[in-house]
Amino acid sequence: MLIFEEGQPGRRAAAEAPGKSGAALKFPAHLTRQQPPKLPEVSELQVVRHYTNLSRKNFSIDTQFYPLGSCTMKYNPRGAHRAASLPGFLNRHPLMAEKNSQGYLACLYDLQEILAEATGMVGVSLTPMAGAQGEFAGIAMIRAYHQARQDHARTEILVPAAAHGTNPATAVMCGYTVKEIPVKADGDVDLDALKAAVGPQTAGLMMTNPSTCGVFERSIAEIAQTVHQAGGLLYYDGANLNAILGKVKPGAMGFDVLHLNLHKTFATPHGGGGPGAGPVAVAKRLVPYLPTPIVMKNAEDYRWSTAEDFPDSIGRLSAFMGNAGVLLRAYYYARVLGAEGLLRVAEYATLNANYLMQRLVDLGFTLAYPTRRASHEFIISLSPQLKKYGTNAMDFAKRLLDYSFHAPTTYFPLLVPECWLIEPTETESLQQLELFVQALESILQEAEQNPELLKTAPHTLPVRRLDDVKAARELDVKYG
Amino acid sequence: MLIFEEGQPGRRAAAEAPGKSGAALKFPAHLTRQQPPKLPEVSELQVVRHYTNLSRKNFSIDTQFYPLGSCTMKYNPRGAHRAASLPGFLNRHPLMAEKNSQGYLACLYDLQEILAEATGMVGVSLTPMAGAQGEFAGIAMIRAYHQARQDHARTEILVPAAAHGTNPATAVMCGYTVKEIPVKADGDVDLDALKAAVGPQTAGLMMTNPSTCGVFERSIAEIAQTVHQAGGLLYYDGANLNAILGKVKPGAMGFDVLHLNLHKTFATPHGGGGPGAGPVAVAKRLVPYLPTPIVMKNAEDYRWSTAEDFPDSIGRLSAFMGNAGVLLRAYYYARVLGAEGLLRVAEYATLNANYLMQRLVDLGFTLAYPTRRASHEFIISLSPQLKKYGTNAMDFAKRLLDYSFHAPTTYFPLLVPECWLIEPTETESLQQLELFVQALESILQEAEQNPELLKTAPHTLPVRRLDDVKAARELDVKYG
Amino acid sequence: MPYIPHTESDVTQMLAALKIDSIDQLFDEIPPSLLAQQLNIPAGLSEMSATRLMTERSTVSDKQLNFLGAGAYEHFIPAAVWDVVTRGEFMTAYTPYQAEASQGTLQTIYEYQSMMTQLTGMDISNASLYDGASALAEALLMAVRCQKKKKGQTILMPAQVHPFYRQVCETLVKAQGIQLHAVPYDDAGQIDQAYLAQLNTDEAVALVIPQPNFFGVLEEVHALTDWAHSKGLLVVAQVNPMSLAVLTPPGQWGQNINHAGADIAVGEGQPMGVPLASGGPYFGFMTCRESLVRQMPGRIIGRTLDLDGKKGFTLTLQAREQHIRRSKATSNICTNQGLAVTAATIFMSLLGAQGLAEVAQQSHHNCEALIKKVSAIPGVKARFDSARFHEVVLELPVAAESVIAFMAEHNIQAGVDLKPFYPELAQHLLVCVTETKTESDLDRYVASLKQAIEEAKN
Amino acid sequence: MPYIPHTESDVTQMLAALKIDSIDQLFDEIPPSLLAQQLNIPAGLSEMSATRLMTERSTVSDKQLNFLGAGAYEHFIPAAVWDVVTRGEFMTAYTPYQAEASQGTLQTIYEYQSMMTQLTGMDISNASLYDGASALAEALLMAVRCQKKKKGQTILMPAQVHPFYRQVCETLVKAQGIQLHAVPYDDAGQIDQAYLAQLNTDEAVALVIPQPNFFGVLEEVHALTDWAHSKGLLVVAQVNPMSLAVLTPPGQWGQNINHAGADIAVGEGQPMGVPLASGGPYFGFMTCRESLVRQMPGRIIGRTLDLDGKKGFTLTLQAREQHIRRSKATSNICTNQGLAVTAATIFMSLLGAQGLAEVAQQSHHNCEALIKKVSAIPGVKARFDSARFHEVVLELPVAAESVIAFMAEHNIQAGVDLKPFYPELAQHLLVCVTETKTESDLDRYVASLKQAIEEAKN
Ligand SMILES: Cc1ncc(COP(=O)(O)O)c(C=O)c1O
Ligand SMILES: Cc1ncc(COP(=O)(O)O)c(C=O)c1O
């Protein structure tokens, strides 16, 4: 039932509104709303009960193992949530005077420093509000850099075929055309193809490393050299930073600019789709172009950067200064983990992924890159199962839900057929991984004995398989 | 799975502890623990996931209609929870200096005043930590009163047969014997029996009004007169105050002392069993005996009462001053409702009960007191259904759980066979009541067509019908 | 190890299964020259110490009496909102890619979309964008795509659109060759219609109409909408959703029956149950005319049926999005502001149309009350003589900067100095008053302002 | 109408079904003379106004540096604890009478019982009593029931049991003719064993042993337990659960192999994850020897099987309780402190044995550190020369009252003045230091104490 359908005309949660003021001041008649919006008319209990019960229809980290590849669904510390929700932070207006904001600014300044150190970069701007906006900022900086050098011929951004959709979409938003570079059978970028592709038109290359193939790009140094020699810059999509945090700094690999997904690597909650935060970090030559504002430190005082500090900035990306609450959570996380803790993230995320990969191999699943170590994630292809039982990657995924595990990422990256991208993260235990293995073992048997069970799955959730085609054809996107 | 079973030796949620101090100070060897307690060894994620998932196995007001008679399961305002959780209240040590506690004391003082006004009494003590402790305080005051008058012959407390178990249990804890007074077929106390029972041995009478039969005791004035003439005092069990809040003051009915269940009438959450708060309110002659401490006001200052204020007090009931957090919630609730709002509680609780009663009569259910108005609750007997289908009150209750409604109170009061005590509360809507009626209609059909379905219910919950006999015979009350 | 559950024996068992001796071996594909040294980051803290650190830092900003607005508004948020929003099932779920395991989030967004279309009077709502500023920028990009047949790519952008919003638009649209043409404001603080009347609109594709505008002033939305449509421009409404409880919704702007209503309406969702929180996470909302939906950026949730014919919810029209369309997507947005949207949905349910109207009315009322009070101070007066919502530009006899600094000393956040954004408005302060302010708050403001002015004059 | 969902048309429909005209008619069985006039209570407030009122009142108590203990201890509580506890399903459920619909609460309490038996080393735990004081009183009543064969009803109650606990025991046991016999403390601040040695114990049924006692001092629990058992007394241990992470648990007190261990162990559960909260809700715990379980008050949860043979949890041994046994019940307790128990269960899971030991050690360490620092102030010293947990009695050169008042002016809660409770301890202050205090907190305390003493001397 929709919240609208639970209402009755005239019902309301009366205590929640301020009530009527003495004098009923009027707006000019022609600018005044004539019909009130048809919002739900419900009691406070109805609202609480409705949304509490709705929440119970979700899978989440707090309730399920959630090995969604590329999404780093690790434990979101409740301590970070509390710290970011302190009244001094939560009630702080974004334009509050700097002198009343020193503690807040100190947190952001420290976070800038921590992210610079962790990535091997020189400058950091925290303002991008998600990974994709970080990408935009990064590519816009590359653009600004070339333009400042009057290098107007560079019109193309290269991306590996395995790249996330935001990469090519971003390049286009920045006014570039996109050229895809093929990936070899071992998961590494096709270096020859890259060499052939670079040239004076190359503005830059966007890539993740480890890549979305779940392997570490071994020829990264050569790739960097190739692009740099052609006059292009290297963009690092930090979505997979969890795999190498503290182990390898993107700066050391030759990247010029990157974003981090704090809502992945720094354990801030995804909130059913957002918010995130996608700070950008840059090497020296891109510092002038960083998006603003940035927190600056003079002796003991913190302040916001002004236009004088960054006259060549690509500009502002958000109304205020990005997703502050996410940044505060990430700062808390970094401080609790510290240097050693950040390093352990990469180590145990990688251990879990490789162990789980091995166990799935034991069960007979097919790896996309069987000769490779897993990074913090790995890919299996369910093509053999599709051939044998007629059950595809989605059928397996839906059946897994019945076992109370969230499904891995399906059908991404696009270049591996019937793929699952599996990312267990470092916060899950060996015992949890084994339960997952047991579930897959059982589903494999079901696929053999009763493939219909998979094809019509899920069977135990609030709804069964939904008709996506109908959803798109007969658009029903609002009540009434 | 138990939290213990999810653990592994050596695992821990490391960020949660302060870590080791520099110097390892030692306690005397013979007083030092040799073996650490076997507590769970689990990660933070495991704990959060375990208890989040456990919570999902509960029914609650926030997720279900919960018409548990005598328990007043109304909406628990989240605003009250927030107000009571303000850092200044939550971090306040109970012994904090009065000068640093004026705001807190002001809330309690105001609450004392509000409760006195709402009950028609003169003095209030907030310290009892639940209804039963309020009863203890009340009966102890009655005892102190008689003793102060050297009236040592009074050894007996009268209670109606329908009384809640805490009433007789309390009387015994206060050193009294208990005599039960029968209840007539119309739900009123048997006045002749009462008249026969009172005498110089009568210390007092404990009763609720409306009674646990769900009807208003019409001869309350005569009852009061009878007991008072015999030299006894009248105790009002406030568990049912929701029925008459703002409508009738217990003081006006002749009661000398009462407790309120703030966790019922004042909408504080029950917490799966507690906490509650059972403030006592008394007429003038019992004021000297009130349990302490009490909040006093001098001009503009608030302070705790001292022994000099109440030299004849029955004493202290809790280490500090009762369940402060519950009291703050109740205070918030009273302030949001105000005088009109408190009155509406009684009106709409009564409307809902009477309406639901009528609808169940329409379905053919049997009322325990068919000639009477319902108060805020009412009783049906499922004896006819037991006779016809072999399905008892518990079978109906368990089946109702499958429809995602919490069951009414079953088998209480003891004097109505196969009874359900149904209390919808004022915060449920007409539409919600109708859904409940529909479920009962459906269950009634099932009882006729397939009584086994009821006898083996529930079928859709985390467990099916549990073996209580086994639980008591083969005591398993801890892990390992 | 904080947050990592592995015991020594777990690790031993796992390494054995992998036939390796140490975790380090798992990184043996990485060229050794790339491996980092120990990070120069402070050692880890316990939750207790980290919490204490941040508590100390947060208290600096505590207990300010806040009269700042300018795009972020302090409204009272019922406790139920975030108590429910922060349930683990809402907070720690990912984007609802597995629809069957995400019906809670999906239905919530569907309800949100329904509420936003009601509030704005528009046909279709998406599931959110980052914030009000980036939503406006996305609306401009969308408008350009919708007007592909037109020869130009110019957007008419009033000067009294929030200066930061204009900056964000600059950043986000300029790489695509889109121009923002500044439209001046008139003496009433409204879009200068005389200027528009003489404007050559050949290159223009859309007009942005802020309601209320950055000065808190209400625009003549009907006339502007009709004018824009008559010139073949799309109307992009940039609105405060709280104001829509009492003001004509964008879907009803204009009197031209053949083309009434704004074409795209966007804004900052923060006033609907999202705390000030230093600037975010907030959420940008976007609604549009049905015919434009295929150019809309961001997720959209649709209702459909399951195998048993039962109603359910799922992501729909994904062919607009980057994960399907890659370089041809309507935007690069992926992660949005879901949790803030959940809060807004619960907030709107709790307040209802009447509650929102009360908040809007009371805010307006308090703003007018403050204006009256401050006008008694010599040299202080409201700058524009137009109808307002809940913000006002105050003309001061001294520099706004000094007043702000003085009042900050007394824990009052006085308002926003307009000089950096509008040099012509030196000595002007943008002040916001919402329903959260009491009579005594206003009096405290007035007294402090008076003192500040006296101080500055000496 | 706050919290009431009825619309006018709902009411009309309901009244029609009831064939009456007004809600008032539903009250027609009530004698009209009893009906009340309008209550003299302030008119209702919105959530916003009520929240503001209480926020203003709460800030008075904000930001105190707290060295108060005396039965309520400030320990750090991980955020996860109350985030999970306050989920509606835990917070707004009733007592788990319908077991199948309450498995969350029931399993949690079963786990709690398991943890408490581990911590105390006892056989059986109940599901909680109101608080530490009332738990002690219930233990005395239980001990008397268990010793029914004995002729007397006297309890040996050391003077250094918390004074408020002793008062609560007085209140709760005196109506049943039970006597509390005061046992003095000796120079070491411990139970005076010489006194006991010469005591006639014919009427006595039990000895209460506090560990640590009200002075923070550790008792010689083994010798005391053996002595009590040798006299046929039951031992009622009154313990701080946090201390049990490092101290011998009551289940192992005594060296008499035929009758080792306390018989009943009770205490205040607040240190385990429950905030100070002005004194409640806390929870009292009670554990006992298995043979005594049928005299135990309060609920007990048992594990059993369902119809399918699946494990599940339910209330058990209810024949002890008032709702079954009425006047013959072991206690009148019904509602207990379930939610605080849920918090403690989660807290203990998060901390584990090692974490609790760290908290206990660190608290002890900080207390000793403070003693060392204050001892440098002339005239200040620790009063009892015995091993302590995390509290100390400080002897001062001036009245404790004046020190407390002075330091409160500087937002330091210095400790508890012992004079009202122990006239012989005038100029003595009971101070508690937990793991939450840093070096700089201690220094701030010391500096302020020094000043306070100087001030008082002048
Ligand atoms: C590899 C990769 N790149 C980029 C992104 C985009 O990040 P965001 O969703 O925060 O915009 C994602 C996340 O979905 C990703 O997995
Ligand atoms: C009628 C009645 N009296 C007394 C009580 C005892 O109250 P409490 O559970 O708060 O001790 C109850 C509640 O269970 C009750 O329903």
Side-chain angles (χ1 to χ4, degrees), chain D residues 191-397:
Chain D
I191 291 175
D192 187 340
Q193 294 194 47
Y195 176 87
L196 289 182
Q198 51 73 43
L199 193 68
N200 177 339
T201 58
D202 292 353
E203 303 275 327
V205 297
L207 169 67
V208 174
I209 307 179
Q211 181 76 328
N213 67 31
F214 186 62
F215 302 145
V217 164
L218 303 188
E219 298 281 354
E220 290 299 335
V221 294
H222 299 296
L224 292 166
T225 299
D226 288 343
W227 175 83
H229 284 161
S230 75
K231 299 287 183 184
L233 309 186
L234 292 183
V235 168
V236 176
Q238 184 250 311
V239 288
N240 177 338
M242 188 59 83
S243 76
L244 298 182
V246 291
L247 299 182
T248 309
Q252 291 168 17
W253 289 0
Q255 262 108 27
N256 177 347
I257 23 170
N258 294 320
H259 192 171
D263 301 283
I264 305 171
V266 296
E268 174 54 66
Q270 177 274 330
M272 311 312 259
V274 181
L276 290 172
S278 296
Y282 296 168
F283 71 94
F285 65 86
M286 177 182 275
T287 56
C288 72
R289 191 182 292 290
E290 178 150 23
S291 56
L292 308 182
V293 64
R294 271 157 221 281
Q295 292 304 337
M296 199 177 216
R299 294 182 197 123
I300 300 176
I301 309 305
R303 184 155 65 168
T304 184
L305 300 178
D306 77 355
L307 272 182
D308 294 336
K310 189 175 165 187
K311 280 178 191 163
F313 304 86
T314 188
L315 292 166
T316 194
L317 294 185
Q318 294 186 69
R320 300 166 300 108
E321 293 186 69
Q322 49 72 29
H323 63 286
I324 306 288
R325 288 286 284 234
R326 302 177 69 83
S327 62
K328 296 188 184 58
T330 53
S331 165
N332 70 341
I333 192 168
C334 176
T335 291
N336 60 23
Q337 305 285 122
L339 202 68
V341 160
T342 305
T345 309
I346 297 176
F347 180 85
M348 289 188 273
S349 302
L350 281 171
L351 275 283
Q354 191 181 334
L356 294 179
E358 286 175 15
V359 172
Q361 275 283 359
Q362 190 70 46
S363 299
H364 176 61
H365 178 270
N366 287 349
C367 183
E368 295 296 333
L370 183 72
I371 294 171
K372 214 166 147 190
K373 282 175 194 277
V374 293
S375 300
I377 304 175
V380 177
K381 71 169 207 280
R383 165 64 193 262
F384 301 110
D385 189 23
S386 305
R388 293 176 209 89
F389 180 41
H390 62 13
E391 279 173 295
V392 60
V393 175
L394 291 184
E395 203 179 315
L396 304 178

Side-chain angles (χ1 to χ4, degrees), chain B residues 410-463:
Chain B
T410 53
Y411 299 103
F412 175 79
L414 306 172
L415 46 81
V416 182
E418 298 300 329
C419 75
W420 269 15
L421 179 59
I422 307 174
E423 181 182 6
T425 86
E426 74 278 10
T427 63
E428 299 290 343
S429 69
L430 166 60
Q431 293 72 31
Q432 182 64 74
L433 301 184
E434 284 301 324
L435 292 173
F436 181 74
V437 170
Q438 278 169 31
L440 282 186
E441 187 169 15
S442 163
I443 294 172
L444 214 44
Q445 276 173 17
E446 291 173 349
E448 198 177 337
Q449 291 160 12
N450 183 6
E452 270 311 299
L453 200 61
L454 279 66
K455 289 189 211 168
T456 58
H459 303 279
T460 59
L461 298 197
V463 291

Side-chain angles (χ1 to χ4, degrees), chain A residues 148-170:
Chain A
R149 306 171 74 233
Q150 307 299 332
D151 192 352
H152 298 297
R154 302 194 177 271
T155 55
E156 199 172 81
I157 291 283
L158 307 174
V159 301
H164 193 264
T166 49
N167 294 181
T170 297

Side-chain angles (χ1 to χ4, degrees), chain B residues 237-260:
Chain B
D237 174 344
N240 290 349
L241 191 63
N242 217 56
I244 57 168
L245 201 60
K247 270 276 180 213
V248 182
K249 297 182 181 184
M253 294 192 270
F255 286 97
D256 301 288
V257 45
L258 59 82
H259 81 265
L260 300 97

Side-chain angles (χ1 to χ4, degrees), chain A residues 70 130-133 135 164 166-167 208 212 237 239-240 259 261 263-264, chain C residues 94 130 334-335:
Chain A
S70 203
Q133 216 192 25
E135 293 176 32
H164 193 264
T166 49
N167 294 181
T208 60
T212 56
D237 174 344
N240 290 349
H259 80 265
N261 293 63
H263 45 306
K264 298 180 181 184
Chain C
Y94 203 76
Y130 302 130
C334 178
T335 291

Side-chain angles (χ1 to χ4, degrees), chain A residues 46 209 256 298 356 384:
Chain A
Q46 285 184 308
N209 193 16
D256 301 287
N298 315 337
L356 188 57

Side-chain angles (χ1 to χ4, degrees), chain B residues 1-3 12-13 16-17 19 21 25 27 30-33 37-39 42 50-51 54-55 58-62 66 71 73 76-78 82 88-90 92-93 96-97 100 103-104 106-107 110 117 129-130 132-133 136 163 165-166 169-170 172-174 218 243 247 269-275 314 316 318-320 322-325 331-332 335-336 338-339 344 350 352 354 372-373 398 426-428 430-431 461-462 464-468 471-472 476-479, chain D residues 1-3 5-6 10 13-14 18 24-25 27-29 35-36 38 40 42 44-45 47 57-58 60-62 64 68-70 72 78 86-95 98 100-105 107-108 110-111 113-114 117-119 123 130-131 164 167-168 171-172 175-176 220 222 244 246-248 277-278 280-281 301-308 310 313-314 316 322 326-327 332 335-339 345 349 353-354 358 361-362 364 388 408 413:
Chain B
M1 194 145 57
L2 296 173
I3 187 76
R12 56 189 305 229
E16 306 305 60
S21 65
L25 288 168
F27 299 100
H30 69 295
L31 298 180
T32 300
R33 183 162 195 142
K38 293 206 185 69
L39 295 181
V42 285
H50 179 80
Y51 289 105
L54 273 190
S55 78
N58 274 359
F59 279 28
S60 67
I61 301 173
D62 277 7
Y66 211 121
C71 300
M73 295 296 277
N76 303 150
R78 286 278 169 175
R82 173 162 67 186
F89 292 142
L90 213 58
R92 188 185 160 275
H93 190 283
M96 191 180 279
N100 305 114
Y104 169 69
C107 291
D110 287 355
E117 168 67 10
M129 289 176 285
Q133 214 192 28
F136 179 94
T166 50
T170 296
V172 169
M173 279 188 86
C174 288
R218 291 169 292 195
K247 270 276 180 213
H270 293 68
I314 58 161
R316 183 178 277 272
S318 66
F320 299 104
N323 282 334
Y331 175 62
Y332 170 95
R335 292 305 306 268
V336 168
R344 278 194 299 254
T350 302
N352 271 0
N354 280 279
R372 304 294 304 274
R373 294 274 190 222
K398 297 297 184 196
E426 74 278 10
T427 63
E428 299 290 343
L430 166 60
Q431 293 72 31
L461 298 197
R464 294 188 55 207
R465 193 85 64 101
L466 289 162
D467 187 344
D468 284 337
D476 171 358
V477 295
K478 66 178 179 192
Y479 171 69
Chain D
M1 303 184 292
Y3 314 130
H6 299 65
D10 289 342
Q13 182 182 337
M14 294 170 87
L18 289 166
D24 272 346
Q25 258 173 282
F27 295 89
D28 56 9
E29 290 186 359
L35 293 177
Q38 164 83 12
N40 181 18
L45 299 175
E47 177 171 337
R57 288 185 169 184
S58 75
V60 185
S61 305
D62 241 356
Q64 301 290 316
L68 296 164
T86 54
R87 285 173 58 83
E89 296 95 323
F90 276 136
M91 194 155 76
T92 71
Y94 203 76
T95 304
Q98 289 293 341
E100 296 84 357
S102 313
Q103 289 294 299
T105 290
Q107 181 174 333
T108 301
Y110 179 90
E111 293 176 351
Q113 292 173 177
S114 306
T117 55
Q118 276 297 328
L119 205 57
D123 298 329
Y130 302 130
D131 71 355
F164 289 159
Q167 290 176 24
V168 170
T171 310
L172 291 175
Q176 295 184 43
E220 290 299 335
H222 299 296
L244 298 182
V246 291
L247 299 182
T248 309
S278 296
I301 309 305
R303 184 155 65 168
T304 184
L305 300 178
D306 77 355
L307 272 182
D308 294 336
K310 189 175 165 187
F313 304 86
T314 188
T316 194
Q322 49 72 29
R326 302 177 69 83
S327 62
N332 70 341
T335 291
N336 60 23
Q337 305 285 122
L339 202 68
T345 309
S349 302
Q354 191 181 334
E358 286 175 15
Q361 275 283 359
Q362 190 70 46
H364 176 61
R388 293 176 209 89
Q413 300 292 318

